[in-house]
Amino acid sequence: MTAPAAAGGPVPPRIVIIGAGIVGCSLADELTERGAREVTVLEQGPLHAPGGSTSHAPGLVFRTHLCRTLSNFAMYTVEKFSALTEDGRPCFDAVGGLEIATTEEQWAELHRKAGLAASWGIEGELVGARRCAELWPMLDTAKVLGGFHTPGDGLARALPAARAQTVRARARGARFLDRHTVTGIEQDAGRVTAVVTDRGTFPADIVVSAAGFWGPVIGAMAGVPVPLLPLAHQYAKTSVIAGPDGRRPVLRFQERDLYFREHVDDSADGTGRIGIGSYAHRPMPVDPAAVPAFDAAPVMPSSLPFTAEDFAPSWDDSRRLLPALDGARVEEGFNGVFSFTPDGMPLLGEAPGLHGFWLAEAVWVTHSAGVAKAVAEWLTEGRPATDVHACDIARFEEAQLSPAYVAERGQQQFAEVYDVVHPLQPLHRPRPLRVSPFHERQRELGAYFLEGAGWERPQWYEANAPLTDGIALPERDAWSARHWSPIAVAEARATRERVALYDMTPLKRLEVSGPGALDFLQCLTTNQLAKKPGSVTYTLLLDDAGGIRSDLTVARLAADRFQVGANSGMDLAHLTRHAPAGVQVRDITPGTCCIGVWGPRARDLVQPLTRTDFGHRAFGYFRAKQAYLGEVPVTALRLSYVGELGWELYTSADLGLRLWDTLWAAGQPYGVIAAGRGAFDSLRLEKGYRAWGQDMTTEHDPYEAGLGWAVRMDKGGFVGRAALEGRSADTVRRRLTCLTLDDPAAVVLGKEPVYVDGTPAGYVTSAAYGCAVGRTVAYAWLPARAAVPGTAVHIEYFGEKTAATVAAEPLFDPAMERIRS
């Protein structure tokens, strides 16, 4: 699309931004730089210290994050603020960052973080205790094992940066109006029309809520849930001590949930104060609706009274780490309010169900300019250059938007903000939230559950433990052994040899129906869907620049009724937003369920249960049929994400348990098992199947991702087609590449840097042990020159480089003989 549906054109004529904190000011600057002129920023407090989180933010910027998107946002923030000045002083002080380890676990984590930095192109170095002491002389180096030094990190001067951007935006025509408290959001026919304040009404085509922890209050006015929990975070300053010089890096002591920065008076000589931030205390949730107005607040709305008793353990930890603090005292402090979401990520994008109402919420100073750039691109060009799916407000399911869920998960995010968190580690509460109809049977089989989108998803089943007998696997290190079991390998092997049942219920399912449904889907997707009812097609959703915004399986069940296998609520929001009159888009996931029956004995299991011919000639690959299995009506799609013969079998949720029991009983003569996501991921990587959001995003086009075969340039117009003109698999500069690790005992998990000729050249997207190839299989983005089968590369895992080789794909059944049998 050339612009969001509510924009009315490439640049919306009237944009109202709610909030003049660092995000609102940055967004006004980015929008006006791109040609928007009718931009109004409304602020309830005074400019330019309105009393929100920006007004008290300590400003530390560490760019390296597990999420590449957040790292990109932080890198842009550093770049932009370094070029901004106020009174001749840059708005970013590149003093660097230093994260230290005093335990072996944290030292290992810093090695992992150094790998992430290399993957994302951030300069960083693991250093020993002596170098840590040179960087921070106050450290008790007897306690320090080492550190991770990032010289490009440092301190953002948030208020000066806000002021500097305001000056630039005003010069381009933007209005900034303080002392305007928003009291309502007017809308008509599902579209915003104006923002109402205590000092007048402001017509608007686009409204962007950048209100910080007041976001839920603004959202409620618009009827939009904003899953954000304000929480207080303690920050204290010591009395004046000797030593600070203003040039030391920001220090993080994550094992005790602490960070430190210097505060130096320009007139002082070798003295200053140390600022200490703590996440070690109990969660302190704040009701945003009860926060006092600026003039009624003792200090400012976001600065709550310091609770010394909560800080006492952190003060003890600080003095032990920095003995120079023994003679100092906590001279001042406050409990500052910040925003936390259920998954710790920002809330960006147009709200589903209300055209023109956008969010730029739960954004810390670290990512502020990067977020503003992305949202401005989204509004003026139709897409951000950086993939933002992990931040899109539509990522949350309805069950994840309840105040109780947001409060529980938000507090857990606060408690774990500095913890060493495994990529697969689920949050503990509230669980279980969403379960498939097979949940009780899965528990009986000893399912080990992880979670996704609120769903309980079996990773493997303890009932299959005997299947590991005779399977010789290398011993895993403690990190890669978390949330993993050799049972998953046994389940993958059983799938290859016999037959297995997979719970596919959590996958998003949409129904698109009505006159014009075919034309609508044809316009949005890349592959040819104009086929007879009973066809199933793999296709892509692109944006205007040809980036992959999702991949879909589309089953044409009738002339004007399609079942769409999607990835998330973002696909639902996208299709709903663009559906023409007469076309209905409906989420059928909650009322349905799905079992994948896959393996060479799949037909032996299924055929005796039905009068419908499931033979290959009658029921070919990528076909759909309505049938009865026993007493259960099913929609059967002959698909296989694991590379084996089989079907996805859909029925209504009320009949799900009956379907499971029917299949389970029929499969006993064939050695049927239940298999989990661990086996699923292993098998799909051996087959070369991509996972959207993990292996490919809007930053990649179909040819780079190896999916050019799903693009039919001759079918007519579709979104993204013009951008793909002239591109092909032969013109790409990078490729999603299959790698196999040379050492059968070696392991990688994903996001590790890949080295070509000794230089970081890409990063791993997905990895799993492949039972058919007897080693770890990884997919990675690499330069096209290196993505040639036989090329030797190295992958860095916790500081150690392991050899790998580019392999031709798919690794398993390249002739498709098994899947088409």
Side-chain angles (χ1 to χ4, degrees), residues 477-488:
D477 64 276
W479 182 255
S480 64
R482 293 188 193 180
H483 309 294
W484 180 87
S485 170
I487 297 172

Side-chain angles (χ1 to χ4, degrees), residues 408-423:
E408 184 69 54
R409 287 293 171 97
Q411 291 181 71
Q412 290 181 67
Q413 288 294 333
F414 177 89
E416 295 182 357
V417 70
Y418 272 178
D419 288 0
V420 177
V421 178
H422 192 276

Side-chain angles (χ1 to χ4, degrees), residues 235-239 273-274 306 311 329-334:
Y235 191 78
K237 293 181 182 178
T238 69
S239 55
R273 299 192 289 171
I274 302 297
F306 188 64
F311 192 74
R329 67 184 186 280
V330 175
E331 191 167 77
E332 60 179 273
F334 63 95

Side-chain angles (χ1 to χ4, degrees), residues 46 68 102 127 153 176 217 234 236 286 344 386 487 492 506 551-552 593 608 637 688 721-722 784 793 808:
R68 181 171 174 268
T102 63
V127 297
D153 291 340
F176 286 77
V217 177
Q234 292 199 298
V286 175
T386 299
I487 297 172
D551 63 343
L552 311 174
C593 59
L637 308 186
R721 185 185 185 282
V793 301

Side-chain angles (χ1 to χ4, degrees), residues 319-641:
R319 288 185 295 172
R320 280 191 287 268
L321 181 71
L322 307 174
L325 296 181
D326 278 344
R329 67 184 186 280
V330 175
E331 191 167 77
E332 60 179 273
F334 63 95
N335 293 355
V337 184
F338 287 86
S339 300
F340 286 81
T341 60
D343 59 4
M345 298 293 288
L347 306 173
L348 310 180
E350 189 175 22
L354 183 56
H355 290 299
F357 187 80
W358 287 66
L359 298 178
E361 298 289 10
V363 181
W364 292 9
V365 172
T366 300
H367 312 111
S368 56
V371 162
K373 176 176 179 287
V375 174
E377 291 170 337
W378 214 341
L379 287 169
T380 61
E381 301 165 27
R383 70 184 293 272
T386 299
D387 163 55
V388 295
H389 83 273
C391 309
D392 195 316
I393 179 59
R395 71 188 183 272
F396 289 109
E397 298 289 312
E398 185 177 3
Q400 298 174 295
L401 296 174
S402 72
Y405 184 93
V406 173
E408 184 69 54
R409 287 293 171 97
Q411 291 181 71
Q412 290 181 67
Q413 288 294 333
F414 177 89
E416 295 182 357
V417 70
Y418 272 178
D419 288 0
V420 177
V421 178
H422 192 276
L424 295 177
Q425 181 175 318
L427 294 178
H428 301 299
R429 301 179 305 274
R431 292 181 62 193
L433 181 63
R434 309 175 79 188
V435 297
S436 77
F438 329 124
H439 185 68
E440 191 56 39
R441 295 292 183 266
Q442 293 166 343
R443 291 182 60 190
E444 292 168 0
L445 292 170
Y448 182 86
F449 291 101
L450 297 181
E451 185 208 30
W455 288 99
E456 295 296 316
R457 303 196 300 186
Q459 195 74 358
W460 68 81
Y461 295 85
E462 287 296 330
N464 295 325
L467 299 179
T468 62
D469 292 346
I471 297 179
L473 293 173
E475 185 175 351
R476 287 201 166 205
D477 64 276
W479 182 255
S480 64
R482 293 188 193 180
H483 309 294
W484 180 87
S485 170
I487 297 172
V489 178
E491 291 174 357
R493 178 170 293 186
T495 305
R496 291 273 188 245
E497 295 174 351
R498 301 193 301 277
V499 62
L501 306 185
Y502 287 82
D503 181 3
M504 306 301 290
T505 301
L507 298 185
K508 178 68 74 175
R509 291 176 293 286
L510 310 176
E511 182 183 80
V512 180
S513 61
L518 173 62
D519 292 341
F520 167 60
L521 291 172
Q522 282 278 75
C523 179
L524 287 186
T525 65
T526 61
N527 213 335
Q528 179 58 263
L529 303 182
K531 304 173 183 176
K532 294 179 180 179
S535 65
V536 182
T537 306
Y538 176 84
T539 188
L540 305 173
L541 280 176
L542 304 183
D543 60 26
D544 278 344
I548 304 172
R549 63 172 302 133
S550 191
D551 63 343
L552 311 174
T553 54
V554 180
R556 192 175 191 182
L557 302 181
D560 58 0
R561 183 167 64 90
F562 297 80
Q563 180 173 305
V564 177
N567 282 294
S568 73
M570 290 177 281
D571 296 332
L572 171 63
H574 182 65
L575 267 62
T576 300
R577 188 172 291 131
H578 293 89
V583 173
Q584 294 81 43
V585 179
R586 187 165 65 95
D587 183 1
I588 61 173
T589 313
T592 57
C593 59
C594 179
I595 299 174
V597 183
W598 292 312
R601 305 303 300 270
R603 184 176 288 114
D604 296 331
L605 188 160
V606 173
Q607 186 61 78
L609 297 173
T610 181
R611 296 181 180 182
T612 302
D613 189 350
F614 272 56
H616 180 62
R617 291 178 64 86
F619 197 161
Y621 189 53
F622 268 86
R623 298 293 297 171
K625 284 181 179 286
Q626 306 289 337
Y628 283 91
L629 296 184
E631 301 81 10
V632 181
V634 300
T635 298
L637 308 186
R638 189 164 171 201
L639 305 175
S640 176
Y641 203 52

